Amino acid sequence: MKSFQLTTLLILILHVFSAAQNNTITIKGTVKDQTTGAPIPYATVVISDQNTESMISGAATQEDGTFSVTSNTADIFITISFMGYETKKLSNLSIQNNQVDLGTLALIENSQVLEEVMIVGEKSTMEFDLDKRVFNVGSDISSTGVSALEVLNKVPSVNVDIEGQIQLRGNSGVKILLNGKPSVLADEESNALGTITADMIERIEVITNPSAKYDAEGTAGILNIILKKEENRGLNGSVTANTGLPDNHSIGLSMNKRTDRFNLFTQLGGGYRSYPYDRKSENIDRINQTTLVSTGTSYRNELFYNATLGTDYHLNKSNIITLTGNFSYEIEDQPSRTNYNLVDEINQTSSSWYREETTEAINPKWEYDLQYSKEFEDNEDHLLLFNAQGSFFGKDQSSEFTNSVVEGADFNTDQQTRTKFQQADYTFKLDYTNPVNDVITMEAGGQYLINDVGNDYSVSNFADDEWIIDPALTNVFEYNQKVLAGYATGAYKKDKWGIKLGVRVENTDLHTLLTNTDEDNLQNYTDFFPTLHSSYKMSDKVSLQAGYSRRIFRPRLWDLNPFFNIRDNYNIRTGNPNLKAEYSDSYELTSIFKLGKATLNASIFHLFTTNMVERVTSFSDNVQTTIPLNVGTNRATGLEMNGKFIAAEWWTLNGDFNWNFYKREGEYENQSFDFNGNRWSSRLMSSLSLPADFELEITGYYRSGYKTVQSDITGSPSVDVGVRKKINKGKFVINASVRDLFDSRIRESITEKPGYYLYSRSNRRRTFTLGVSYGFGKGEAMTYSSGRRH
């Protein structure tokens, strides 16, 4: 009997299953843009019950716009939707042989739909974390076509000017990370952030006082862009062309192809740029009663090509491998002319001449970046990240200097120089983050950095109808630095309050060698870099953050290399192979206030620096020689304020103010360098959205004068203006800008001593730029007219 009952039950189950199979309906079709006829990938297709309106099944369209879904009932309706388009609803379907072929379905663009989403969506907010400020990106700035650069420009403390230069607290040199790690796409120099759209970004972390997890080497700060897990798929990119005066011509292509498993990105570009540099100097010898005045203009003309290719490969939902590579090639031409006039004690010209330079160079560059990340299943913030990076830069340069007498005696000889420079850098890094529970997070990791440099520099003088090598100015400089680091941090964070402690240990092994004279410098030292951060949220409108970190500045190659260009052999800058690292203790207290349409950040900071590196000038026979030296200590205390005010939907004001008072104490070769002073800078940017999708940006700057150990530097104002026109919701952009509108960005330096008086003046000239860009896919056109040098 049991066997009969079991057999009957199986027959009934098979009958029901067979009936369900026979009643399964397949619905298919293709979704396209009604205006362009282009397929719309990743549109949402939902099958719902006609009576209950509950969802039965759904799917997303493929890259060619096609879709296929199934339903076990015929009493249904279909909804097709995509951001920026009117939703299409279909009912009363014609079913033949359990199939519904809808053919081509055209969606109509509707900007009103997008505007409604922006109004009711979550607004962007800024909040404090333990060692950073976090800008949560809301839908008020997440519209189709808005790039990551636009998002960054809305973050308090951050400014992106019309040319795409990113500044943090008014300082450039910002390090940009993507999901906590370096990336070619996050490279500010490449302008690739235009291919990352706002709706891909979850939050942006602003780090002005880095914790022990980051390099102890001092930087202006860190911006970490965190992408959403559900990034937009498909092909995104931009093509751009620029022209300008002085010569600034370039073309470029950026693309980003994203699928479920792969993210493939590439950049191709090339162009020609010229960098004119005007200078004037006056050297007064008060002992010999002579004055040497020099004026001149130099150019750095550069023909460049570059290519970048990279991919993210998702092994599975927890493991990702990223590999990127970049190659660039530059051809340089550096003509210059310097005019000299030597005046005696009665202000009569005793001699005048000019010195012309012809320099040619080729610069090959390449880099690679291999990354592996593992996300553990228990928590998305439980991560293991390994990163290996390598880069190479070479320079093969030759120069010839000729002197022509205009009046009086000839004091100079013609000269030739040859430079063969090679630099290889390698970085290996491992980071581990473990959220132990809801309130405790532990981090640990290590890094190994290798810098290997060789500079073969030769100077020849023309004498007796032949070129003779000058042994005093010829040598091979070898620079090898290795830094081994390890760190650990622990954080405790509740809803309103948290604290984070950390320590970083770095061992530096530096060896420099002048091979021809066998002069070497060996430095091996180990340092501890503690960090402490805390934050407290007083209310939704007021938050506080405090931080401490110890930092290091290691002398760079050109601070150590004693051999420089001899373009002007009466105003010489040289390096110092015996220079030591300087150390800083940084203290900071920051507050953030949200006042309606305004956001204000205020910070009080104190910086104490030892082994302070300063450039010190000596003078003899009308020649000034400047060399970096470790000169005493510096105590700087300051106030930094920045704010944004949304005056209207079409008008935004963004301002920064930074002031600090410094006290210097130091002595070198029985000469006191004690002094104190203050310096300040300010910036005010007005951004206006005008009718017909025009945007106007006016930025005013002022940098005050200040003192150095020997000199007084004058202040300077400047104004930048930019305007751009967006067409087809930002897919096509025409952009124009004027940098330093009044040609007032001038640097003047005065050094006055009992035996001499030195004056120098320099500026880079006003620049004009015009650019056009076109963005495709979900990427916006690159709205900034000029990328900077690689």
Side-chain angles (χ1 to χ4, degrees), residues 127-284:
E127 61 185 37
F128 276 3
D129 205 340
L130 286 175
D131 59 347
K132 57 199 171 191
R133 284 172 287 161
V134 181
F135 184 74
N136 296 301
V137 179
S139 55
D140 59 324
I141 54 175
S142 296
S143 59
T144 302
V146 171
S147 72
L149 287 170
E150 297 280 3
V151 180
L152 286 172
N153 206 30
K154 296 179 181 291
V155 178
S157 300
V158 180
N159 173 50
V160 184
D161 66 19
I162 203 73
E163 294 184 344
Q165 182 182 14
I166 301 171
Q167 293 184 330
L168 178 58
R169 283 185 164 176
N171 299 313
S172 56
V174 182
K175 187 172 186 178
I176 301 174
L177 304 177
L178 193 64
N179 290 332
K181 57 187 179 181
S183 171
V184 174
L185 283 177
D187 183 4
E188 178 194 354
E189 300 287 334
S190 68
N191 217 2
L193 288 172
T195 64
I196 300 175
T197 57
D199 51 1
M200 297 170 66
I201 301 173
E202 180 178 318
R203 65 184 187 274
I204 297 172
E205 299 173 347
V206 182
I207 308 170
T208 56
N209 206 1
S211 72
K213 180 177 181 178
Y214 302 98
D215 291 347
E217 188 76 33
T219 62
I222 297 171
L223 296 175
N224 185 20
I225 302 173
I226 306 297
L227 298 182
K228 296 177 181 177
K229 295 300 181 181
E230 61 276 11
E231 305 98 332
N232 286 317
R233 304 295 193 260
L235 180 65
N236 307 307
S238 182
V239 291
T240 183
N242 301 295
T243 188
L245 291 173
D247 289 322
N248 182 9
H249 318 295
S250 64
I251 56 174
L253 168 67
S254 292
M255 290 192 299
N256 180 14
K257 173 72 170 179
R258 190 182 296 271
T259 66
D260 289 337
R261 301 290 292 274
F262 276 99
N263 175 31
L264 182 67
F265 46 89
T266 185
Q267 287 184 282
L268 303 171
Y272 176 79
R273 296 188 180 119
S274 179
Y275 301 91
Y277 181 65
D278 299 323
R279 62 192 186 281
K280 177 183 179 180
S281 66
E282 186 175 323
N283 298 352
I284 300 178

Side-chain angles (χ1 to χ4, degrees), residues 648-662:
E649 291 184 0
W650 52 271
W651 185 22
T652 300
L653 291 171
N654 183 315
D656 292 301
F657 175 79
N658 190 301
W659 172 87
N660 73 85
F661 172 83
Y662 51 90

Side-chain angles (χ1 to χ4, degrees), residues 211-218 429 445-449 481-487 503-509 524-530 550-554 583:
S211 72
K213 180 177 181 178
Y214 302 98
D215 291 347
E217 188 76 33
K429 189 175 182 182
Q447 177 176 286
Y448 187 52
L449 173 67
Q481 178 175 268
K482 300 180 180 70
V483 180
L484 178 63
Y487 75 90
V503 64
R504 187 178 183 93
V505 183
E506 294 190 351
N507 173 261
T508 303
D509 184 6
N524 190 296
Y525 50 92
T526 300
D527 297 300
F528 290 83
F529 301 96
R550 182 167 172 79
R551 315 291 291 165
I552 185 174
F553 170 78
R554 297 182 182 87
Y583 297 89

